[in-house]
Structures are given as C-alpha cells and as structure tokens.
Amino acid sequence: MLRGAHAISLDTKGRLAIPTRFRESLRDECDGLLICTIDISNPCLLLYPLAEWELIEKKLRALSSTNPLERRLQRVLLGHAAECELDAQGRCLIPGPLRQHAGLEKKIMLVGQLNKFEIWGDTRWQQQINDDLLALPEEGWESSERLRDFAL
C-alpha cells in the first residue's frame, strides 16, 4: 500500500528519492520500474508501479481510437507516460516536461494513493488540501451510497 504524504526535495537533475520504506517493495513488485504521467484532473503527476500502470494501459487499450474523447484521453495519458527506474539510491528521474506540467520545483510532496503516488509542488499541495477540507460537507454523507456507511 502506498500511503502518506512525504515532503521531499527534487535534486538539481530532477530526481526524487522514494522514501526508504517503499523502496524494497517497489523493487520486489516491479523491479523498481515506475511509470509517471500527468493527472488529467489536477496539477500534479501520477507515479505508478509498473504492474499498476499495466492495468491502466489495458483500460486505455479497450477505448476506441476513433471516438474523439476516448482518443484524446489515450493521447494525453500515454503520450506523457515516462518510465522512471529506481537507481541504487532509490531515486527516480522525473522528465523535464512532466516537472514543468506540474510546476515542480525543489520542494515537492509525494502522496500515497494506495496503488500510486501523486507528485505535487509543495505550494499546490497545501492549497489542494485546504480546498479539499473546505469542500468536505459537515452533513449529507448519506447522499452517496458508497459514503453512507463510511466511518473512521
């Protein structure tokens, strides 16, 4: 499980160090091979272990290349997908165009989302969390069938 929000720094070459607690499992699960692409809904990047990304590719392959909306989604996600292999120090290089798309500078947040990481610029992450907390309703959870029985 990939979880938690981790404040890390990009080095001058655009590499991020995966937190130590995830490195061994990522090497075991996917030989340290990760796929990074853009998030189509938020100004961040998505970093998938290879096996998880292959599930996404299977769904993308099932879409029609003649339907303009489906083709657009394929083009955006697959066109930005980049292999990011963990090096011996547990770092992976995020390509420049992806860093630019997400506005990544030195301080970033690596946020676990169960099957993937989100990569945010520190300032954008803080704003997103503030927006998310303000948008959560105090009541009305029963309007969503999946949230109706959700409890912490």
Side-chain angles (χ1 to χ4, degrees), residues 31-73:
D31 291 328
L33 188 57
L34 307 167
I35 305 296
C36 190
T37 192
I38 64 172
D39 186 319
I40 60 171
S41 303
N42 296 292
C44 69
L45 302 177
L46 304 174
L47 186 65
Y48 291 88
L50 180 60
E52 291 292 333
W53 175 252
E54 288 172 339
L55 298 173
I56 302 297
E57 282 184 334
K58 186 175 181 180
K59 293 176 187 177
L60 289 168
R61 189 177 297 120
L63 298 177
S64 171
S65 62
T66 59
N67 177 299
L69 180 59
E70 293 179 19
R71 181 68 180 130
R72 189 170 288 124
L73 182 63

Side-chain angles (χ1 to χ4, degrees), residues 127-139:
Q127 184 60 54
Q128 184 65 49
I129 284 299
N130 290 338
D131 292 348
D132 288 345
L133 289 171
L134 289 172
L136 287 174
E138 291 181 30
E139 297 179 5

Side-chain angles (χ1 to χ4, degrees), residues 9-16 87 91-96 99 106:
S9 296
L10 285 177
D11 68 12
T12 57
K13 295 180 181 179
R15 296 177 297 194
L16 65 88
D87 67 12
R91 300 171 302 190
C92 65
L93 176 66
I94 304 300
R99 293 193 315 265
K106 184 160 181 69

